[in-house]
PDB file of all heavy atoms in Angstrom:
ATOM      1  N   MET A   1     -31.265  42.149-151.270  1.00 80.00           N
ATOM      2  CA  MET A   1     -32.291  41.346-150.639  1.00 80.00           C
ATOM      3  C   MET A   1     -32.164  39.880-151.039  1.00 80.00           C
ATOM      4  O   MET A   1     -32.180  39.008-150.198  1.00 80.00           O
ATOM      5  CB  MET A   1     -33.662  41.894-151.033  1.00 80.00           C
ATOM      6  CG  MET A   1     -34.796  41.205-150.376  1.00 80.00           C
ATOM      7  SD  MET A   1     -36.233  42.255-150.449  1.00 80.00           S
ATOM      8  CE  MET A   1     -37.481  41.082-150.695  1.00 80.00           C
ATOM      9  N   PHE A   2     -32.038  39.621-152.333  1.00 88.00           N
ATOM     10  CA  PHE A   2     -31.895  38.245-152.798  1.00 88.00           C
ATOM     11  C   PHE A   2     -30.430  37.849-152.699  1.00 88.00           C
ATOM     12  O   PHE A   2     -29.543  38.632-152.978  1.00 88.00           O
ATOM     13  CB  PHE A   2     -32.371  38.094-154.242  1.00 88.00           C
ATOM     14  CG  PHE A   2     -33.831  38.371-154.426  1.00 88.00           C
ATOM     15  CD1 PHE A   2     -34.243  39.465-155.156  1.00 88.00           C
ATOM     16  CD2 PHE A   2     -34.790  37.547-153.871  1.00 88.00           C
ATOM     17  CE1 PHE A   2     -35.588  39.726-155.333  1.00 88.00           C
ATOM     18  CE2 PHE A   2     -36.140  37.796-154.038  1.00 88.00           C
ATOM     19  CZ  PHE A   2     -36.544  38.898-154.769  1.00 88.00           C
ATOM     20  N   SER A   3     -30.198  36.584-152.323  1.00 89.00           N
ATOM     21  CA  SER A   3     -28.843  36.083-152.166  1.00 89.00           C
ATOM     22  C   SER A   3     -28.519  35.134-153.319  1.00 89.00           C
ATOM     23  O   SER A   3     -29.068  34.034-153.387  1.00 89.00           O
ATOM     24  CB  SER A   3     -28.726  35.357-150.824  1.00 89.00           C
ATOM     25  OG  SER A   3     -27.458  34.792-150.697  1.00 89.00           O
ATOM     26  N   LEU A   4     -27.640  35.581-154.207  1.00 94.00           N
ATOM     27  CA  LEU A   4     -27.242  34.769-155.357  1.00 94.00           C
ATOM     28  C   LEU A   4     -25.749  34.492-155.278  1.00 94.00           C
ATOM     29  O   LEU A   4     -24.969  35.336-154.859  1.00 94.00           O
ATOM     30  CB  LEU A   4     -27.565  35.489-156.664  1.00 94.00           C
ATOM     31  CG  LEU A   4     -29.018  35.926-156.860  1.00 94.00           C
ATOM     32  CD1 LEU A   4     -29.183  36.693-158.164  1.00 94.00           C
ATOM     33  CD2 LEU A   4     -29.951  34.739-156.824  1.00 94.00           C
ATOM     34  N   ASP A   5     -25.351  33.291-155.698  1.00 92.00           N
ATOM     35  CA  ASP A   5     -23.952  32.880-155.647  1.00 92.00           C
ATOM     36  C   ASP A   5     -23.447  32.675-157.072  1.00 92.00           C
ATOM     37  O   ASP A   5     -23.795  31.690-157.715  1.00 92.00           O
ATOM     38  CB  ASP A   5     -23.814  31.600-154.836  1.00 92.00           C
ATOM     39  CG  ASP A   5     -22.384  31.119-154.701  1.00 92.00           C
ATOM     40  OD1 ASP A   5     -21.456  31.830-155.171  1.00 92.00           O
ATOM     41  OD2 ASP A   5     -22.189  30.039-154.128  1.00 92.00           O
ATOM     42  N   SER A   6     -22.623  33.592-157.540  1.00 90.00           N
ATOM     43  CA  SER A   6     -22.117  33.516-158.918  1.00 90.00           C
ATOM     44  C   SER A   6     -21.157  32.347-159.116  1.00 90.00           C
ATOM     45  O   SER A   6     -20.899  31.939-160.243  1.00 90.00           O
ATOM     46  CB  SER A   6     -21.435  34.823-159.307  1.00 90.00           C
ATOM     47  OG  SER A   6     -20.343  35.081-158.452  1.00 90.00           O
ATOM     48  N   ARG A   7     -20.644  31.777-158.021  1.00 92.00           N
ATOM     49  CA  ARG A   7     -19.721  30.643-158.127  1.00 92.00           C
ATOM     50  C   ARG A   7     -20.449  29.297-158.118  1.00 92.00           C
ATOM     51  O   ARG A   7     -19.829  28.253-158.327  1.00 92.00           O
ATOM     52  CB  ARG A   7     -18.704  30.692-156.990  1.00 92.00           C
ATOM     53  CG  ARG A   7     -17.785  31.898-157.062  1.00 92.00           C
ATOM     54  CD  ARG A   7     -16.819  31.881-155.912  1.00 92.00           C
ATOM     55  NE  ARG A   7     -17.521  31.728-154.641  1.00 92.00           N
ATOM     56  CZ  ARG A   7     -17.596  32.642-153.697  1.00 92.00           C
ATOM     57  NH1 ARG A   7     -17.003  33.786-153.863  1.00 92.00           N
ATOM     58  NH2 ARG A   7     -18.260  32.414-152.589  1.00 92.00           N
ATOM     59  N   SER A   8     -21.735  29.329-157.862  1.00 91.00           N
ATOM     60  CA  SER A   8     -22.509  28.089-157.800  1.00 91.00           C
ATOM     61  C   SER A   8     -22.645  27.473-159.192  1.00 91.00           C
ATOM     62  O   SER A   8     -22.663  28.176-160.201  1.00 91.00           O
ATOM     63  CB  SER A   8     -23.906  28.383-157.242  1.00 91.00           C
ATOM     64  OG  SER A   8     -24.734  27.247-157.331  1.00 91.00           O
ATOM     65  N   ARG A   9     -22.774  26.154-159.215  1.00 92.00           N
ATOM     66  CA  ARG A   9     -23.015  25.467-160.486  1.00 92.00           C
ATOM     67  C   ARG A   9     -24.474  25.624-160.914  1.00 92.00           C
ATOM     68  O   ARG A   9     -24.811  25.352-162.053  1.00 92.00           O
ATOM     69  CB  ARG A   9     -22.648  23.988-160.374  1.00 92.00           C
ATOM     70  CG  ARG A   9     -21.163  23.788-160.180  1.00 92.00           C
ATOM     71  CD  ARG A   9     -20.693  22.369-160.249  1.00 92.00           C
ATOM     72  NE  ARG A   9     -21.627  21.375-159.749  1.00 92.00           N
ATOM     73  CZ  ARG A   9     -21.719  20.149-160.219  1.00 92.00           C
ATOM     74  NH1 ARG A   9     -20.921  19.766-161.193  1.00 92.00           N
ATOM     75  NH2 ARG A   9     -22.577  19.296-159.716  1.00 92.00           N
ATOM     76  N   GLU A  10     -25.312  26.052-159.986  1.00 93.00           N
ATOM     77  CA  GLU A  10     -26.724  26.249-160.285  1.00 93.00           C
ATOM     78  C   GLU A  10     -26.886  27.583-161.027  1.00 93.00           C
ATOM     79  O   GLU A  10     -26.345  28.603-160.592  1.00 93.00           O
ATOM     80  CB  GLU A  10     -27.515  26.271-158.981  1.00 93.00           C
ATOM     81  CG  GLU A  10     -28.999  26.328-159.163  1.00 93.00           C
ATOM     82  CD  GLU A  10     -29.722  26.130-157.840  1.00 93.00           C
ATOM     83  OE1 GLU A  10     -29.412  26.840-156.881  1.00 93.00           O
ATOM     84  OE2 GLU A  10     -30.583  25.248-157.793  1.00 93.00           O
ATOM     85  N   PRO A  11     -27.620  27.588-162.140  1.00 95.00           N
ATOM     86  CA  PRO A  11     -27.786  28.831-162.898  1.00 95.00           C
ATOM     87  C   PRO A  11     -28.400  29.953-162.049  1.00 95.00           C
ATOM     88  O   PRO A  11     -29.203  29.693-161.145  1.00 95.00           O
ATOM     89  CB  PRO A  11     -28.752  28.435-164.020  1.00 95.00           C
ATOM     90  CG  PRO A  11     -28.652  26.955-164.124  1.00 95.00           C
ATOM     91  CD  PRO A  11     -28.315  26.460-162.749  1.00 95.00           C
ATOM     92  N   ILE A  12     -28.008  31.172-162.339  1.00 96.00           N
ATOM     93  CA  ILE A  12     -28.476  32.336-161.596  1.00 96.00           C
ATOM     94  C   ILE A  12     -29.995  32.441-161.644  1.00 96.00           C
ATOM     95  O   ILE A  12     -30.634  32.737-160.637  1.00 96.00           O
ATOM     96  CB  ILE A  12     -27.824  33.630-162.131  1.00 96.00           C
ATOM     97  CG1 ILE A  12     -26.302  33.608-161.908  1.00 96.00           C
ATOM     98  CG2 ILE A  12     -28.443  34.872-161.487  1.00 96.00           C
ATOM     99  CD1 ILE A  12     -25.875  33.639-160.464  1.00 96.00           C
ATOM    100  N   TYR A  13     -30.609  32.169-162.802  1.00 96.00           N
ATOM    101  CA  TYR A  13     -32.057  32.318-162.896  1.00 96.00           C
ATOM    102  C   TYR A  13     -32.776  31.315-161.986  1.00 96.00           C
ATOM    103  O   TYR A  13     -33.820  31.635-161.402  1.00 96.00           O
ATOM    104  CB  TYR A  13     -32.551  32.203-164.346  1.00 96.00           C
ATOM    105  CG  TYR A  13     -32.589  30.813-164.925  1.00 96.00           C
ATOM    106  CD1 TYR A  13     -33.740  30.035-164.841  1.00 96.00           C
ATOM    107  CD2 TYR A  13     -31.469  30.271-165.560  1.00 96.00           C
ATOM    108  CE1 TYR A  13     -33.785  28.757-165.376  1.00 96.00           C
ATOM    109  CE2 TYR A  13     -31.496  28.997-166.091  1.00 96.00           C
ATOM    110  CZ  TYR A  13     -32.657  28.243-166.000  1.00 96.00           C
ATOM    111  OH  TYR A  13     -32.703  26.973-166.523  1.00 96.00           O
ATOM    112  N   VAL A  14     -32.198  30.118-161.807  1.00 95.00           N
ATOM    113  CA  VAL A  14     -32.796  29.121-160.909  1.00 95.00           C
ATOM    114  C   VAL A  14     -32.639  29.589-159.458  1.00 95.00           C
ATOM    115  O   VAL A  14     -33.572  29.475-158.656  1.00 95.00           O
ATOM    116  CB  VAL A  14     -32.159  27.731-161.116  1.00 95.00           C
ATOM    117  CG1 VAL A  14     -32.641  26.736-160.073  1.00 95.00           C
ATOM    118  CG2 VAL A  14     -32.444  27.218-162.517  1.00 95.00           C
ATOM    119  N   GLN A  15     -31.470  30.112-159.121  1.00 95.00           N
ATOM    120  CA  GLN A  15     -31.260  30.646-157.776  1.00 95.00           C
ATOM    121  C   GLN A  15     -32.265  31.759-157.486  1.00 95.00           C
ATOM    122  O   GLN A  15     -32.838  31.822-156.386  1.00 95.00           O
ATOM    123  CB  GLN A  15     -29.842  31.195-157.627  1.00 95.00           C
ATOM    124  CG  GLN A  15     -28.751  30.159-157.669  1.00 95.00           C
ATOM    125  CD  GLN A  15     -27.386  30.795-157.518  1.00 95.00           C
ATOM    126  OE1 GLN A  15     -27.158  31.602-156.616  1.00 95.00           O
ATOM    127  NE2 GLN A  15     -26.467  30.434-158.404  1.00 95.00           N
ATOM    128  N   LEU A  16     -32.483  32.637-158.470  1.00 97.00           N
ATOM    129  CA  LEU A  16     -33.422  33.741-158.300  1.00 97.00           C
ATOM    130  C   LEU A  16     -34.842  33.220-158.103  1.00 97.00           C
ATOM    131  O   LEU A  16     -35.573  33.707-157.229  1.00 97.00           O
ATOM    132  CB  LEU A  16     -33.347  34.691-159.497  1.00 97.00           C
ATOM    133  CG  LEU A  16     -34.241  35.919-159.431  1.00 97.00           C
ATOM    134  CD1 LEU A  16     -33.962  36.749-158.173  1.00 97.00           C
ATOM    135  CD2 LEU A  16     -34.049  36.770-160.684  1.00 97.00           C
ATOM    136  N   GLU A  17     -35.230  32.224-158.884  1.00 94.00           N
ATOM    137  CA  GLU A  17     -36.562  31.624-158.719  1.00 94.00           C
ATOM    138  C   GLU A  17     -36.731  31.103-157.293  1.00 94.00           C
ATOM    139  O   GLU A  17     -37.759  31.346-156.650  1.00 94.00           O
ATOM    140  CB  GLU A  17     -36.751  30.457-159.693  1.00 94.00           C
ATOM    141  CG  GLU A  17     -36.895  30.850-161.129  1.00 94.00           C
ATOM    142  CD  GLU A  17     -36.914  29.643-162.060  1.00 94.00           C
ATOM    143  OE1 GLU A  17     -37.415  28.569-161.653  1.00 94.00           O
ATOM    144  OE2 GLU A  17     -36.424  29.770-163.190  1.00 94.00           O
ATOM    145  N   LYS A  18     -35.742  30.397-156.799  1.00 91.00           N
ATOM    146  CA  LYS A  18     -35.806  29.833-155.452  1.00 91.00           C
ATOM    147  C   LYS A  18     -35.889  30.927-154.393  1.00 91.00           C
ATOM    148  O   LYS A  18     -36.608  30.791-153.402  1.00 91.00           O
ATOM    149  CB  LYS A  18     -34.597  28.931-155.194  1.00 91.00           C
ATOM    150  CG  LYS A  18     -34.634  27.637-155.971  1.00 91.00           C
ATOM    151  CD  LYS A  18     -33.407  26.806-155.702  1.00 91.00           C
ATOM    152  CE  LYS A  18     -33.425  25.513-156.481  1.00 91.00           C
ATOM    153  NZ  LYS A  18     -32.222  24.701-156.227  1.00 91.00           N
ATOM    154  N   GLU A  19     -35.144  31.987-154.588  1.00 94.00           N
ATOM    155  CA  GLU A  19     -35.168  33.094-153.636  1.00 94.00           C
ATOM    156  C   GLU A  19     -36.547  33.757-153.605  1.00 94.00           C
ATOM    157  O   GLU A  19     -37.067  34.073-152.532  1.00 94.00           O
ATOM    158  CB  GLU A  19     -34.095  34.134-153.991  1.00 94.00           C
ATOM    159  CG  GLU A  19     -32.697  33.689-153.676  1.00 94.00           C
ATOM    160  CD  GLU A  19     -32.419  33.625-152.187  1.00 94.00           C
ATOM    161  OE1 GLU A  19     -32.445  34.672-151.517  1.00 94.00           O
ATOM    162  OE2 GLU A  19     -32.186  32.505-151.682  1.00 94.00           O
ATOM    163  N   ILE A  20     -37.141  33.951-154.760  1.00 94.00           N
ATOM    164  CA  ILE A  20     -38.473  34.563-154.821  1.00 94.00           C
ATOM    165  C   ILE A  20     -39.494  33.674-154.126  1.00 94.00           C
ATOM    166  O   ILE A  20     -40.297  34.153-153.318  1.00 94.00           O
ATOM    167  CB  ILE A  20     -38.875  34.859-156.284  1.00 94.00           C
ATOM    168  CG1 ILE A  20     -37.987  35.978-156.843  1.00 94.00           C
ATOM    169  CG2 ILE A  20     -40.353  35.233-156.381  1.00 94.00           C
ATOM    170  CD1 ILE A  20     -38.114  36.198-158.341  1.00 94.00           C
ATOM    171  N   VAL A  21     -39.448  32.369-154.398  1.00 88.00           N
ATOM    172  CA  VAL A  21     -40.370  31.425-153.750  1.00 88.00           C
ATOM    173  C   VAL A  21     -40.153  31.437-152.241  1.00 88.00           C
ATOM    174  O   VAL A  21     -41.111  31.427-151.465  1.00 88.00           O
ATOM    175  CB  VAL A  21     -40.206  30.005-154.338  1.00 88.00           C
ATOM    176  CG1 VAL A  21     -40.933  28.976-153.493  1.00 88.00           C
ATOM    177  CG2 VAL A  21     -40.707  29.970-155.775  1.00 88.00           C
ATOM    178  N   LYS A  22     -38.894  31.505-151.817  1.00 88.00           N
ATOM    179  CA  LYS A  22     -38.590  31.541-150.383  1.00 88.00           C
ATOM    180  C   LYS A  22     -39.235  32.768-149.734  1.00 88.00           C
ATOM    181  O   LYS A  22     -39.871  32.662-148.684  1.00 88.00           O
ATOM    182  CB  LYS A  22     -37.081  31.555-150.160  1.00 88.00           C
ATOM    183  CG  LYS A  22     -36.670  31.650-148.686  1.00 88.00           C
ATOM    184  CD  LYS A  22     -35.170  31.555-148.498  1.00 88.00           C
ATOM    185  CE  LYS A  22     -34.547  32.911-148.718  1.00 88.00           C
ATOM    186  NZ  LYS A  22     -33.100  32.932-148.428  1.00 88.00           N
ATOM    187  N   PHE A  23     -39.102  33.918-150.374  1.00 90.00           N
ATOM    188  CA  PHE A  23     -39.661  35.142-149.803  1.00 90.00           C
ATOM    189  C   PHE A  23     -41.194  35.128-149.824  1.00 90.00           C
ATOM    190  O   PHE A  23     -41.819  35.709-148.941  1.00 90.00           O
ATOM    191  CB  PHE A  23     -39.107  36.375-150.505  1.00 90.00           C
ATOM    192  CG  PHE A  23     -37.711  36.723-150.058  1.00 90.00           C
ATOM    193  CD1 PHE A  23     -36.646  36.644-150.927  1.00 90.00           C
ATOM    194  CD2 PHE A  23     -37.462  37.120-148.748  1.00 90.00           C
ATOM    195  CE1 PHE A  23     -35.355  36.953-150.513  1.00 90.00           C
ATOM    196  CE2 PHE A  23     -36.184  37.430-148.323  1.00 90.00           C
ATOM    197  CZ  PHE A  23     -35.128  37.357-149.202  1.00 90.00           C
ATOM    198  N   ILE A  24     -41.772  34.455-150.795  1.00 88.00           N
ATOM    199  CA  ILE A  24     -43.233  34.299-150.798  1.00 88.00           C
ATOM    200  C   ILE A  24     -43.638  33.425-149.616  1.00 88.00           C
ATOM    201  O   ILE A  24     -44.573  33.746-148.875  1.00 88.00           O
ATOM    202  CB  ILE A  24     -43.733  33.706-152.134  1.00 88.00           C
ATOM    203  CG1 ILE A  24     -43.526  34.711-153.263  1.00 88.00           C
ATOM    204  CG2 ILE A  24     -45.201  33.300-152.029  1.00 88.00           C
ATOM    205  CD1 ILE A  24     -43.756  34.147-154.662  1.00 88.00           C
ATOM    206  N   ASN A  25     -42.936  32.316-149.412  1.00 82.00           N
ATOM    207  CA  ASN A  25     -43.231  31.410-148.289  1.00 82.00           C
ATOM    208  C   ASN A  25     -43.058  32.093-146.943  1.00 82.00           C
ATOM    209  O   ASN A  25     -43.779  31.797-145.990  1.00 82.00           O
ATOM    210  CB  ASN A  25     -42.358  30.162-148.347  1.00 82.00           C
ATOM    211  CG  ASN A  25     -42.829  29.161-149.362  1.00 82.00           C
ATOM    212  OD1 ASN A  25     -44.010  29.076-149.659  1.00 82.00           O
ATOM    213  ND2 ASN A  25     -41.903  28.411-149.916  1.00 82.00           N
ATOM    214  N   LEU A  26     -42.081  32.981-146.846  1.00 83.00           N
ATOM    215  CA  LEU A  26     -41.826  33.691-145.592  1.00 83.00           C
ATOM    216  C   LEU A  26     -42.806  34.837-145.361  1.00 83.00           C
ATOM    217  O   LEU A  26     -42.800  35.454-144.298  1.00 83.00           O
ATOM    218  CB  LEU A  26     -40.390  34.221-145.563  1.00 83.00           C
ATOM    219  CG  LEU A  26     -39.278  33.174-145.499  1.00 83.00           C
ATOM    220  CD1 LEU A  26     -37.910  33.835-145.657  1.00 83.00           C
ATOM    221  CD2 LEU A  26     -39.354  32.403-144.186  1.00 83.00           C
ATOM    222  N   GLY A  27     -43.612  35.151-146.368  1.00 84.00           N
ATOM    223  CA  GLY A  27     -44.589  36.226-146.223  1.00 84.00           C
ATOM    224  C   GLY A  27     -44.057  37.606-146.559  1.00 84.00           C
ATOM    225  O   GLY A  27     -44.743  38.602-146.366  1.00 84.00           O
ATOM    226  N   VAL A  28     -42.821  37.677-147.073  1.00 90.00           N
ATOM    227  CA  VAL A  28     -42.273  38.966-147.483  1.00 90.00           C
ATOM    228  C   VAL A  28     -43.078  39.508-148.658  1.00 90.00           C
ATOM    229  O   VAL A  28     -43.385  40.704-148.716  1.00 90.00           O
ATOM    230  CB  VAL A  28     -40.774  38.834-147.856  1.00 90.00           C
ATOM    231  CG1 VAL A  28     -40.229  40.132-148.423  1.00 90.00           C
ATOM    232  CG2 VAL A  28     -39.970  38.383-146.647  1.00 90.00           C
ATOM    233  N   TYR A  29     -43.415  38.625-149.584  1.00 89.00           N
ATOM    234  CA  TYR A  29     -44.284  38.969-150.712  1.00 89.00           C
ATOM    235  C   TYR A  29     -45.603  38.242-150.522  1.00 89.00           C
ATOM    236  O   TYR A  29     -45.636  37.022-150.458  1.00 89.00           O
ATOM    237  CB  TYR A  29     -43.660  38.546-152.045  1.00 89.00           C
ATOM    238  CG  TYR A  29     -42.448  39.344-152.447  1.00 89.00           C
ATOM    239  CD1 TYR A  29     -41.207  38.745-152.551  1.00 89.00           C
ATOM    240  CD2 TYR A  29     -42.545  40.697-152.722  1.00 89.00           C
ATOM    241  CE1 TYR A  29     -40.091  39.473-152.922  1.00 89.00           C
ATOM    242  CE2 TYR A  29     -41.439  41.435-153.089  1.00 89.00           C
ATOM    243  CZ  TYR A  29     -40.213  40.818-153.194  1.00 89.00           C
ATOM    244  OH  TYR A  29     -39.119  41.537-153.563  1.00 89.00           O
ATOM    245  N   GLU A  30     -46.670  39.004-150.410  1.00 89.00           N
ATOM    246  CA  GLU A  30     -47.997  38.416-150.253  1.00 89.00           C
ATOM    247  C   GLU A  30     -48.711  38.408-151.597  1.00 89.00           C
ATOM    248  O   GLU A  30     -48.241  39.014-152.565  1.00 89.00           O
ATOM    249  CB  GLU A  30     -48.786  39.212-149.219  1.00 89.00           C
ATOM    250  CG  GLU A  30     -48.160  39.156-147.831  1.00 89.00           C
ATOM    251  CD  GLU A  30     -48.906  39.994-146.821  1.00 89.00           C
ATOM    252  OE1 GLU A  30     -49.806  40.771-147.216  1.00 89.00           O
ATOM    253  OE2 GLU A  30     -48.593  39.869-145.632  1.00 89.00           O
ATOM    254  N   ALA A  31     -49.868  37.754-151.643  1.00 88.00           N
ATOM    255  CA  ALA A  31     -50.664  37.700-152.874  1.00 88.00           C
ATOM    256  C   ALA A  31     -50.939  39.113-153.384  1.00 88.00           C
ATOM    257  O   ALA A  31     -51.258  40.017-152.613  1.00 88.00           O
ATOM    258  CB  ALA A  31     -51.979  36.974-152.619  1.00 88.00           C
ATOM    259  N   ASP A  32     -50.760  39.273-154.675  1.00 92.00           N
ATOM    260  CA  ASP A  32     -50.981  40.535-155.398  1.00 92.00           C
ATOM    261  C   ASP A  32     -49.971  41.632-155.079  1.00 92.00           C
ATOM    262  O   ASP A  32     -50.130  42.758-155.526  1.00 92.00           O
ATOM    263  CB  ASP A  32     -52.411  41.060-155.192  1.00 92.00           C
ATOM    264  CG  ASP A  32     -53.447  40.130-155.800  1.00 92.00           C
ATOM    265  OD1 ASP A  32     -53.187  39.584-156.890  1.00 92.00           O
ATOM    266  OD2 ASP A  32     -54.514  39.943-155.186  1.00 92.00           O
ATOM    267  N   SER A  33     -48.934  41.331-154.303  1.00 93.00           N
ATOM    268  CA  SER A  33     -47.911  42.346-154.069  1.00 93.00           C
ATOM    269  C   SER A  33     -46.965  42.378-155.270  1.00 93.00           C
ATOM    270  O   SER A  33     -46.690  41.348-155.889  1.00 93.00           O
ATOM    271  CB  SER A  33     -47.154  42.095-152.767  1.00 93.00           C
ATOM    272  OG  SER A  33     -46.427  40.902-152.821  1.00 93.00           O
ATOM    273  N   PRO A  34     -46.491  43.559-155.608  1.00 96.00           N
ATOM    274  CA  PRO A  34     -45.622  43.678-156.793  1.00 96.00           C
ATOM    275  C   PRO A  34     -44.204  43.196-156.523  1.00 96.00           C
ATOM    276  O   PRO A  34     -43.680  43.334-155.423  1.00 96.00           O
ATOM    277  CB  PRO A  34     -45.635  45.179-157.080  1.00 96.00           C
ATOM    278  CG  PRO A  34     -45.868  45.811-155.746  1.00 96.00           C
ATOM    279  CD  PRO A  34     -46.756  44.853-154.988  1.00 96.00           C
ATOM    280  N   LEU A  35     -43.610  42.628-157.549  1.00 96.00           N
ATOM    281  CA  LEU A  35     -42.188  42.292-157.534  1.00 96.00           C
ATOM    282  C   LEU A  35     -41.457  43.414-158.264  1.00 96.00           C
ATOM    283  O   LEU A  35     -42.066  44.143-159.056  1.00 96.00           O
ATOM    284  CB  LEU A  35     -41.950  40.961-158.238  1.00 96.00           C
ATOM    285  CG  LEU A  35     -42.495  39.717-157.549  1.00 96.00           C
ATOM    286  CD1 LEU A  35     -42.332  38.492-158.441  1.00 96.00           C
ATOM    287  CD2 LEU A  35     -41.799  39.486-156.228  1.00 96.00           C
ATOM    288  N   PRO A  36     -40.160  43.539-158.037  1.00 95.00           N
ATOM    289  CA  PRO A  36     -39.409  44.568-158.766  1.00 95.00           C
ATOM    290  C   PRO A  36     -39.480  44.320-160.273  1.00 95.00           C
ATOM    291  O   PRO A  36     -39.592  43.174-160.722  1.00 95.00           O
ATOM    292  CB  PRO A  36     -37.976  44.393-158.267  1.00 95.00           C
ATOM    293  CG  PRO A  36     -38.085  43.630-156.998  1.00 95.00           C
ATOM    294  CD  PRO A  36     -39.322  42.799-157.105  1.00 95.00           C
ATOM    295  N   SER A  37     -39.400  45.391-161.043  1.00 95.00           N
ATOM    296  CA  SER A  37     -39.385  45.236-162.497  1.00 95.00           C
ATOM    297  C   SER A  37     -38.133  44.481-162.907  1.00 95.00           C
ATOM    298  O   SER A  37     -37.153  44.410-162.164  1.00 95.00           O
ATOM    299  CB  SER A  37     -39.408  46.605-163.172  1.00 95.00           C
ATOM    300  OG  SER A  37     -38.164  47.264-162.983  1.00 95.00           O
ATOM    301  N   VAL A  38     -38.174  43.909-164.095  1.00 96.00           N
ATOM    302  CA  VAL A  38     -37.029  43.158-164.613  1.00 96.00           C
ATOM    303  C   VAL A  38     -35.784  44.041-164.605  1.00 96.00           C
ATOM    304  O   VAL A  38     -34.723  43.648-164.107  1.00 96.00           O
ATOM    305  CB  VAL A  38     -37.322  42.622-166.037  1.00 96.00           C
ATOM    306  CG1 VAL A  38     -36.058  42.094-166.696  1.00 96.00           C
ATOM    307  CG2 VAL A  38     -38.400  41.557-165.992  1.00 96.00           C
ATOM    308  N   ARG A  39     -35.924  45.225-165.124  1.00 96.00           N
ATOM    309  CA  ARG A  39     -34.772  46.129-165.235  1.00 96.00           C
ATOM    310  C   ARG A  39     -34.247  46.533-163.855  1.00 96.00           C
ATOM    311  O   ARG A  39     -33.044  46.528-163.608  1.00 96.00           O
ATOM    312  CB  ARG A  39     -35.155  47.368-166.039  1.00 96.00           C
ATOM    313  CG  ARG A  39     -33.969  48.241-166.393  1.00 96.00           C
ATOM    314  CD  ARG A  39     -34.338  49.333-167.357  1.00 96.00           C
ATOM    315  NE  ARG A  39     -34.887  48.732-168.566  1.00 96.00           N
ATOM    316  CZ  ARG A  39     -35.710  49.349-169.394  1.00 96.00           C
ATOM    317  NH1 ARG A  39     -36.087  50.576-169.161  1.00 96.00           N
ATOM    318  NH2 ARG A  39     -36.159  48.753-170.472  1.00 96.00           N
ATOM    319  N   ALA A  40     -35.164  46.871-162.934  1.00 96.00           N
ATOM    320  CA  ALA A  40     -34.749  47.296-161.594  1.00 96.00           C
ATOM    321  C   ALA A  40     -34.041  46.165-160.855  1.00 96.00           C
ATOM    322  O   ALA A  40     -33.006  46.386-160.217  1.00 96.00           O
ATOM    323  CB  ALA A  40     -35.953  47.780-160.800  1.00 96.00           C
TER     324      ALA A  40
END
């Protein structure tokens, strides 16, 4: 679901943050909806 680029100079955790924010903005994740666990 999330698109991360291991070759990017941008750290993976920053890419992940941006992807999560993008999906919140798109309405994929709404208020109070759960995100996957860290391990999952």
Side-chain angles (χ1 to χ4, degrees):
M1 184 160 143
F2 296 113
S3 176
L4 304 177
D5 181 4
S6 60
R7 295 180 308 247
S8 172
R9 293 188 327 148
E10 186 171 53
I12 296 294
Y13 76 92
V14 173
Q15 292 180 49
L16 182 57
E17 289 173 32
K18 289 179 180 180
E19 287 290 296
I20 292 170
V21 168
K22 178 176 83 175
F23 282 114
I24 292 170
N25 282 331
L26 293 173
V28 174
Y29 291 116
E30 297 177 350
D32 295 321
S33 65
L35 292 173
S37 71
V38 168
R39 189 171 302 156

